[in-house]
Amino acid sequence: MEDAVAEFGRHLRAERGVSPHTLRAYLGDLNDLTGYASDLGVTDPAALEVSLLRAWLARQHALGRSRATLARRTAAARAFTRHLHRRGVLQDDPGLLLGTPKRGRELPGVITQEEAARLLDTMDAEGPLGLRDLAVLETCYATGVRVSELCGLDIDDLDTERGTVRVLGKGGRERTVPMGEPAARAVQDWLRAGRPALATDRSGPALFLGARGGRLHPTSARRIVHARIAEVGQVPDLSPHGLRHSAATHLLEGGADLRSVQEILGHASLQTTQLYTHVSVERLKHVHRQAHPRGTRSDE
């Protein structure tokens, strides 16, 4: 069973082009599945049956796994059995008989437009690390990129004349995202006066660098965002994903259409964009008052 999982991992990496994060998550899920199957005496992938898969998922539910985790583990099991079926290891595909747990619509926290301005306008940007950190937060908020996409940016991805950045997203999909003047200015300041002080032989073309000169790691980027928000104060703690969600929310509040936000965020499905973005109730009420023939209350 372990060999089958390892071969499936090579298939995902070489032929499906999944992200490293998705690969780690799927292999972790399947290693848990094979461990559960082994405890039941099932070590041959050809012996996988829907009853075993359902029992494994039921155990995950009993252990208190979140709906998002259950949905991902169901998807991992389905992809695995589909692969085994296509290779002739399984005569029938038991994954087709699995139900799909509904994922919760929990959204990350957001900051207001005023809080975003306070954060970015009052940050300490002294020294190479200060310049880098301001450029990181400005870029996260201006472009709405994922933290992995942010850390994967190279210097050549910037188009300073057009004020855009080329982003390589999930599934190898490339998109061009506008940056805005404050973010572009912060990045230029970092490239001019910050990056040269940290750059080493191992820096390569990476846009953002860690303190030792290597490409900035997503874990470090998350730590930077949390630390800088804490320093500023009077701004709710937020992750890079929260900045991404805030950017999308503020775009919608400013009048952007959902399709444009989808393109900026790099979502393959508009449905995903709808889960990541929301418009404040107050703005909806304002639009209703302005646009609906009976939207204005009689006492106003």
Side-chain angles (χ1 to χ4, degrees), residues 277-291:
T277 58
H278 65 271
V279 182
S280 68
V281 174
E282 289 304 315
R283 179 174 180 272
L284 288 176
K285 289 167 64 177
H286 174 74
V287 170
H288 187 271
R289 286 195 297 267
Q290 296 294 317

Side-chain angles (χ1 to χ4, degrees), residues 108-172:
V110 298
I111 55 178
T112 65
Q113 297 182 38
E114 293 74 17
E115 288 169 338
R118 184 184 307 127
L119 169 64
L120 299 171
D121 292 343
T122 61
M123 265 185 61
D124 178 12
E126 293 295 323
L129 294 181
L131 291 171
R132 179 203 63 187
D133 294 356
L134 177 59
V136 163
L137 267 73
E138 284 277 15
T139 302
C140 281
Y141 177 62
T143 64
V145 293
R146 303 174 178 91
V147 66
S148 58
E149 296 170 344
L150 174 89
C151 295
L153 292 176
D154 291 336
I155 296 174
D156 289 343
D157 290 326
L158 295 173
D159 187 333
T160 55
E161 291 186 3
R162 297 175 59 194
T164 60
V165 60
R166 183 174 62 242
V167 180
L168 187 63
K170 288 185 175 180

Side-chain angles (χ1 to χ4, degrees), residues 48-70:
L48 282 176
E49 297 180 350
V50 67
S51 58
L52 187 149
L53 298 176
R54 286 172 173 164
W56 172 62
L57 291 171
R59 182 171 181 271
Q60 303 302 307
H61 179 74
L63 290 172
R65 306 296 187 223
S66 69
R67 284 181 292 179
T69 298
L70 289 172

Side-chain angles (χ1 to χ4, degrees), residues 40-238:
L40 297 179
V42 179
T43 58
D44 185 352
L48 282 176
E49 297 180 350
V50 67
S51 58
L52 187 149
L53 298 176
R54 286 172 173 164
W56 172 62
L57 291 171
R59 182 171 181 271
Q60 303 302 307
H61 179 74
L63 290 172
R65 306 296 187 223
S66 69
R67 284 181 292 179
T69 298
L70 289 172
R72 191 197 66 225
R73 295 200 162 182
T74 301
R78 281 176 166 171
F80 183 49
T81 59
R82 181 170 60 248
H83 178 69
L84 294 176
H85 175 58
R86 288 175 176 174
R87 289 180 56 84
V89 177
L90 288 170
Q91 184 175 358
D92 298 306
D93 183 0
L96 295 174
L97 302 177
L98 292 177
T100 303
K102 291 186 177 180
R103 298 186 61 167
R105 295 192 170 216
E106 297 180 2
L107 296 170
V110 298
I111 55 178
T112 65
Q113 297 182 38
E114 293 74 17
E115 288 169 338
R118 184 184 307 127
L119 169 64
L120 299 171
D121 292 343
T122 61
M123 265 185 61
D124 178 12
E126 293 295 323
L129 294 181
L131 291 171
R132 179 203 63 187
D133 294 356
L134 177 59
V136 163
L137 267 73
E138 284 277 15
T139 302
C140 281
Y141 177 62
T143 64
V145 293
R146 303 174 178 91
V147 66
S148 58
E149 296 170 344
L150 174 89
C151 295
L153 292 176
D154 291 336
I155 296 174
D156 289 343
D157 290 326
L158 295 173
D159 187 333
T160 55
E161 291 186 3
R162 297 175 59 194
T164 60
V165 60
R166 183 174 62 242
V167 180
L168 187 63
K170 288 185 175 180
R173 293 188 295 270
E174 187 178 288
R175 67 187 189 277
T176 299
V177 182
M179 291 190 70
E181 291 184 8
R185 186 165 55 248
V187 172
Q188 287 300 319
D189 289 343
W190 150 248
L191 289 175
R192 174 182 52 81
R195 190 182 186 280
L198 298 181
T200 65
D201 293 340
R202 54 194 291 261
S203 300
L207 175 59
F208 294 116
L209 305 179
R212 297 181 180 179
R215 183 182 292 274
L216 185 65
H217 192 274
T219 300
S220 299
R222 293 186 185 95
R223 185 165 55 246
I224 288 168
V225 172
H226 287 298
R228 289 299 185 170
I229 290 177
E231 287 178 6
V232 170
Q234 298 182 325
V235 177
D237 186 32
L238 212 61

